[in-house]
């Protein structure tokens, strides 16, 4: 979660310990300077770049990209996510998929695809829950897991967390890493993009804090219509960057809706493309998707920001060593699949979804069996972070995409009036 809440930062410092070294700071400084110089040279040669191009360069460049080589999660990183706080979040997400699998007729061959699985913590909780229900619920059904991950650093962490044995057979096409899960011996495969993931089985998709990291285009309404915001080098400096407003209309401005009422708009075409891909796969093979991220319903304007060491960071500072993110426009995501047969449910706030899924009951069960006072307090503290309206509870939204369910009258799991 990339939100600058002092209470949350203090809470997380109590949950974990941060380690820093002078050597790491030296490496970070060198990497940042290299990134700045490279971007400035590109701009001087080719002209100002869009915000989307800037984000792609900083975050996913194959040589120095923030998401490619950095472990950004946890106390030693730049932000923390709900699954890292306690096991309940992942368990409830797993229960959602189990319930929806039943609502769709209990198909015997199931693929589970997670986009951007972080450190593998959320997937590990889901795997553990699936294994718990394996005999009583899934029976002879076949389960396999596929992950979409561009980061070499994170994919290695995910493999270490999730897998205990390498795949015995030849890896599928476009898969760059594979193994069997430590829990349940489920086959697991890693891919660099969703297009490479096979599209021939009943599939569930999970995207938790994935869409917020995708590159956005920024626009401002002026006297002469919409103008796009670009990134340029300051005229007074060789290696300093700034925002500039282009004088002419760009092709990207066609993405803006004709009835748009805001004066500052952020649009993420990649989010629309990915969610459309997911919807087509659900149409073809049935299944569902759960999208959980901090975002809005098409009313917010300027949300682009950076994060480093759990604090807000100017997006032109610590380049390559700090996260850059923007709130997800859930209305845009819903509009991207409106022409498909896939049903969209929500979004609702995370607090409401987790209450509907029974988080309070699960917390009481864990506390009842917890003998250590410190662990019990950690559970309570993390529950507050996930649920509190001023922290994750209200800022995070949950959206479901579902295919053919056996009963159209039965509400989608977790999306009903509590």
């Amino acid at each position: 979660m990339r939100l600058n809440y002092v209470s949350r930062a203090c809470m997380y410092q109590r949950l974990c310990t941060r380690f820093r070294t002078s050597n790491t700071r030296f490496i970070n400084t060198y990497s940042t300077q290299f990134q700045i110089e490279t971007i400035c040279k590109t701009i001087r040669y080719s002209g100002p770049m869009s915000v989307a191009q800037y984000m792609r360069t900083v975050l996913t460049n194959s040589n120095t990209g923030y998401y490619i080589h950095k472990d950004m999660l946890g106390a030693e990183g730049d932000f923390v996510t709900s699954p890292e706080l306690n096991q309940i979040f992942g368990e409830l997400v797993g229960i959602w998929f189990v319930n929806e699998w039943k609502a769709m007729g209990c198909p015997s061959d199931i693929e589970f695809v997670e986009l951007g699985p972080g450190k593998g913590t959320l997937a590990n909780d889901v795997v553990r829950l699936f294994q718990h229900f394996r005999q009583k619920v899934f029976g002879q059904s076949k389960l396999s897991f596929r992950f979409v991950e561009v980061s070499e650093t994170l994919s290695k962490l995910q493999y270490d967390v999730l897998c205990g044995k390498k795949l015995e057979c030849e890896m599928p096409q476009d898969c760059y890493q594979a193994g069997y899960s430590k829990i349940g011996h489920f086959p697991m495969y890693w891919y660099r993009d969703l297009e490479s993931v096979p599209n021939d089985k009943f599939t569930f998709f999970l995207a938790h804090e994935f869409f917020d990291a995708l590159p956005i285009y920024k626009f401002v309404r002026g006297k002469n219509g919409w103008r796009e915001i670009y990134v340029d080098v300051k005229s007074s400096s060789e290696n300093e960057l700034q925002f500039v407003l282009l004088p002419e209309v760009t092709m990207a401005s066609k993405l803006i809706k004709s009835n748009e009422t805001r004066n500052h708009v952020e649009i993420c075409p990649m989010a629309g493309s990915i969610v459309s891909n997911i919807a087509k796969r659900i149409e073809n093979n049935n299944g569902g998707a759960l999208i959980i991220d901090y975002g809005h319903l098409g009313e917010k304007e300027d949300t682009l920001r950076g994060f480093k060491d759990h604090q807000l960071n100017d997006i032109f500072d610590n380049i390559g060593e700090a996260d850059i993110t923007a709130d997800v426009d859930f209305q845009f995501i819903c509009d991207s699949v409106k022409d498909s047969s896939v049903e969209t449910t929500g979004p609702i706030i995370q607090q409401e979804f987790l209450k509907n899924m029974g988080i309070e009951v699960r917390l009481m069960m864990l506390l009842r069996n917890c003998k250590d006072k410190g662990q019990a307090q950690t559970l309570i503290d993390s529950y507050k972070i996930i649920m509190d309206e001023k922290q994750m509870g209200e800022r995070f939204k949950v959206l479901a995409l579902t295919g053919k369910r056996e009963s159209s009258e039965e509400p989608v799991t977790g999306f009903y009036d509590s």
Side-chain angles (χ1 to χ4, degrees):
M1 179 189 184
R2 305 159 178 83
L3 300 176
N4 188 25
Y5 294 128
V6 176
S7 61
R8 173 179 156 270
C10 293
M11 183 81 70
Y12 193 65
Q13 285 174 358
R14 291 203 299 270
L15 295 173
C16 303
T17 303
R18 178 179 297 165
F19 298 97
R20 296 289 180 210
T21 66
S22 58
N23 184 51
T24 301
R25 284 194 293 269
F26 173 78
I27 294 172
N28 291 352
T29 302
Y30 174 81
S31 177
T32 296
Q33 189 61 33
F34 178 79
Q35 276 269 48
I36 293 173
E37 291 175 358
T38 301
I39 291 170
C40 289
K41 284 180 181 178
T42 301
I43 290 174
R44 280 193 289 269
Y45 181 79
S46 304
M49 63 175 60
S50 67
V51 173
Q53 184 183 349
Y54 175 74
M55 290 179 70
R56 282 193 295 269
T57 302
V58 171
L59 298 177
T60 57
N61 177 278
S62 60
N63 294 317
T64 55
Y66 173 80
Y67 289 142
I68 303 300
H69 300 292
K70 186 176 173 65
D71 175 10
M72 70 291 296
L73 289 162
E76 298 86 3
D78 298 313
F79 56 89
V80 63
T81 62
S82 296
E84 304 295 331
L85 293 173
N86 71 40
Q87 69 190 67
I88 304 176
F89 185 88
E91 290 174 348
L92 297 181
V93 167
I95 289 172
W96 187 88
F97 286 111
V98 171
N99 285 346
E100 286 305 298
W101 171 75
K102 288 182 177 180
M104 294 177 188
C106 303
S108 60
D109 209 349
I110 313 160
E111 296 274 12
F112 184 93
V113 176
E114 184 177 3
L115 309 178
K119 286 189 173 183
T121 306
L122 178 53
N124 198 47
D125 289 335
V126 171
V127 169
R128 182 165 45 81
L129 184 125
F130 281 6
Q131 176 63 12
H132 176 75
F133 287 114
R134 193 170 194 169
Q135 295 301 323
K136 294 181 179 178
V137 177
F138 292 116
Q140 298 301 312
S141 297
K142 296 179 181 179
L143 284 158
S144 59
F145 292 77
R146 300 184 189 269
F147 304 105
V148 176
E149 180 58 75
V150 299
S151 170
E152 180 181 338
T153 299
L154 288 180
S155 64
K156 289 178 179 177
L157 287 173
Q158 293 155 13
Y159 188 92
D160 289 342
V161 168
L162 294 166
C163 293
K165 186 179 179 181
K166 289 188 176 182
L167 199 69
E168 295 168 351
C169 57
E170 185 178 346
M171 285 197 297
Q173 184 179 0
D174 297 323
C175 171
Y176 68 88
Q177 180 175 269
Y180 292 103
S181 62
K182 296 176 184 177
I183 304 169
H185 202 66
F186 298 111
M188 296 184 157
Y189 311 91
W190 275 259
Y191 302 83
R192 302 198 186 281
D193 53 64
L194 181 58
E195 287 74 16
S196 301
V197 177
N199 178 22
D200 57 357
K201 294 178 183 178
F202 178 95
T203 306
F204 278 130
F205 298 88
L206 174 62
H208 178 259
E209 291 210 45
F210 171 79
F211 286 98
D212 64 86
L214 300 180
I216 62 165
Y217 292 84
K218 290 176 72 69
F219 305 91
V220 172
R221 191 200 303 268
K223 294 180 180 180
N224 299 316
W226 291 101
R227 295 294 182 267
E228 189 172 352
I229 296 173
Y230 263 48
V231 175
D232 200 358
V233 180
K234 285 185 178 181
S235 57
S236 59
S237 173
E238 285 190 4
N239 291 318
E240 285 189 79
L241 299 169
Q242 64 179 354
F243 286 126
V244 294
L245 197 63
L246 294 190
E248 304 296 332
V249 177
T250 61
M251 290 292 291
S253 63
K254 292 183 178 180
L255 296 167
I256 303 172
K257 295 185 295 185
S258 59
N259 61 346
E260 181 59 67
T261 59
R262 291 171 290 175
N263 292 317
H264 189 149
V265 176
E266 298 170 336
I267 297 179
C268 181
M270 188 178 291
S273 176
I274 291 173
V275 78
S276 295
N277 188 329
I278 291 172
K280 288 179 181 177
R281 289 166 179 254
I282 293 173
E283 279 185 318
N284 292 337
N285 305 299
N286 208 9
L290 202 60
I291 299 172
I292 308 172
D293 225 314
Y294 51 88
H296 57 92
L297 303 179
E299 77 279 5
K300 286 191 176 181
E301 298 190 341
D302 182 14
T303 70
L304 184 68
R305 57 201 182 275
F307 271 89
K308 181 172 175 58
D309 298 337
H310 304 269
Q311 299 294 325
L312 283 170
N313 179 82
D314 188 290
I315 71 163
F316 298 135
D317 291 340
N318 301 298
I319 295 176
E321 295 298 329
D323 187 26
I324 301 177
T325 181
D327 281 17
V328 175
D329 186 341
F330 277 93
Q331 186 59 56
F332 178 77
I333 286 180
C334 291
D335 290 343
S336 299
V337 298
K338 65 182 180 181
D339 293 330
S340 74
S341 62
V342 172
E343 292 291 328
T344 60
T345 308
I348 60 176
I349 61 173
Q350 176 171 288
Q351 180 193 73
E352 182 181 355
F353 175 77
L354 293 178
K355 275 188 177 180
N356 290 342
M357 293 300 301
I359 188 171
E360 292 166 345
V361 174
R362 181 57 176 154
L363 176 65
M364 291 300 105
M365 290 174 61
L366 289 175
L367 290 175
R368 190 179 302 120
N369 295 322
C370 187
K371 307 301 181 183
D372 185 284
K373 289 185 178 181
Q375 290 180 357
Q377 189 59 50
T378 296
L379 275 171
I380 294 170
D381 290 344
S382 59
Y383 165 83
K384 290 178 180 177
I385 294 172
I386 292 170
M387 295 293 286
D388 190 275
E389 291 179 356
K390 295 181 180 179
Q391 299 188 65
M392 294 184 178
E394 193 169 282
R395 287 295 302 273
F396 273 71
K397 308 294 189 297
V398 185
L399 175 70
L401 308 180
T402 51
K404 297 176 182 177
R405 306 170 85 246
E406 290 194 328
S407 173
S408 58
E409 296 180 359
E410 191 73 21
V412 175
T413 308
F415 291 83
Y416 42 80
D417 295 332
S418 55

